[in-house]
Amino acid sequence: MKKKTFNLIIKVLAYFICLGGIIYALYISPYNPHPKNAEDIRLWVSGFGVWAPLIYITIYTIRPLLFFPTLILNLAAGVLFGPYLGIVFLLMGGFGCATFCYLLGRFGGGKWFLENFSGSWGDKLKNYLVGSGSLEKMLWLRTVPIFPYDPVSVIAGSVKLPYKIYALATFLGMLPGAIAYNFLADSFGTPKFYLAIFVTILAFGVPLVWWRIKGSHKELTELGKSKGCAEDEK
């Protein structure tokens, strides 16, 4: 047992040293602008001219390693590219990031990390995605705003959720938010701003309310109770 614990500690240290080294190198890189608001990203990305859309999509794809705030990137799409192209590029960047996190969960040590450090909430989500109805379940996890985007993506990869199901649910789940964010960014300083806030609230509030009304949240609750009973029996 002691040897097993020692090996686990070594693996954890190696994992964090390697990951920490990559993240630190990206963080201190002179190419990382450390944005504080959407305007900072607009000025930096627009400086690349015709390559600006590709730069934006690339940044969004590897966002977890750069510590770029998601909200700023979401709003920056509309500021940079307008309300229509902004939706397209935001979806492409968000989908790239989702795929990156999925692959991290499936091939990059995410499964091992979650098995050892996911906690009760991570265990619930892992069990929730396994079995029938995975498309609907994944769609709930994408549209209901209480679930963190990146951890859900890593968990989906770690349980080997079929990528085509994951991709479809991710795209459909991102669409309302992408439209709302771009409408919000485009309406800053205009009479449409309050309407845009209302649309944004609807985009994220309706799925949450419907999730509760339909009773789909109960399955996650039951998973938690079942796990607790199993541990008590031990």
Side-chain angles (χ1 to χ4, degrees):
M1 181 62 69
K2 290 183 178 179
K3 184 177 181 180
K4 185 177 180 180
T5 303
F6 177 76
N7 289 337
L8 177 61
I9 293 173
I10 295 299
K11 288 180 180 179
V12 170
L13 288 174
Y15 181 85
F16 277 108
I17 289 173
C18 181
L19 183 61
I22 294 173
I23 292 175
Y24 181 72
L26 290 171
Y27 184 77
I28 65 172
S29 170
Y31 299 103
N32 188 340
H34 301 288
K36 296 180 176 62
N37 49 53
E39 180 64 13
D40 287 349
I41 293 181
R42 186 192 71 79
L43 291 172
W44 186 65
V45 173
S46 61
F48 290 93
V50 296
W51 297 102
L54 180 61
I55 295 299
Y56 173 83
I57 293 168
T58 301
I59 290 171
Y60 208 130
T61 298
I62 62 172
R63 174 191 53 75
L65 299 179
L66 298 173
F67 293 106
F68 269 36
T70 307
L71 179 59
I72 291 178
L73 279 172
N74 291 341
L75 294 174
V79 175
L80 277 165
F81 310 112
Y84 302 110
L85 283 178
I87 294 173
V88 174
F89 295 136
L90 174 54
L91 286 173
M92 293 175 68
F95 191 80
C97 181
T99 299
F100 174 76
C101 292
Y102 175 90
L103 294 175
L104 183 65
R106 187 155 187 175
F107 304 110
K111 181 178 180 181
W112 167 82
F113 184 80
L114 288 169
E115 284 176 352
N116 292 281
F117 303 101
S118 62
S120 60
W121 196 219
D123 289 338
K124 287 181 189 179
L125 292 180
K126 285 190 291 184
N127 294 329
Y128 180 68
L129 282 174
V130 174
S132 60
S134 54
L135 176 61
E136 181 183 358
K137 293 174 182 177
M138 189 65 220
L139 190 56
W140 282 125
L141 295 181
R142 279 292 181 238
T143 54
V144 177
I146 65 172
F147 299 109
Y149 191 89
D150 295 341
V152 166
S153 301
V154 174
I155 289 171
S158 72
V159 299
K160 297 183 179 180
L161 183 71
Y163 182 73
K164 60 182 180 181
I165 292 177
Y166 172 80
L168 178 60
T170 294
F171 177 79
L172 294 176
M174 288 193 308
L175 191 56
I179 294 172
Y181 279 127
N182 277 271
F183 183 29
L184 185 63
D186 187 57
S187 67
F188 282 142
T190 72
K192 297 186 296 182
F193 182 64
Y194 294 105
L195 175 61
I197 292 177
F198 178 70
V199 170
T200 303
I201 292 173
L202 284 180
F204 295 104
V206 169
L208 176 60
V209 173
W210 184 245
W211 183 63
R212 296 286 299 186
I213 292 175
K214 190 178 179 183
S216 300
H217 67 288
K218 293 180 179 178
E219 187 169 352
L220 269 175
T221 305
E222 291 302 317
L223 284 172
K225 290 179 179 178
S226 300
K227 188 174 185 294
C229 292
E231 288 177 349
D232 290 340
E233 291 175 1
K234 290 180 181 179

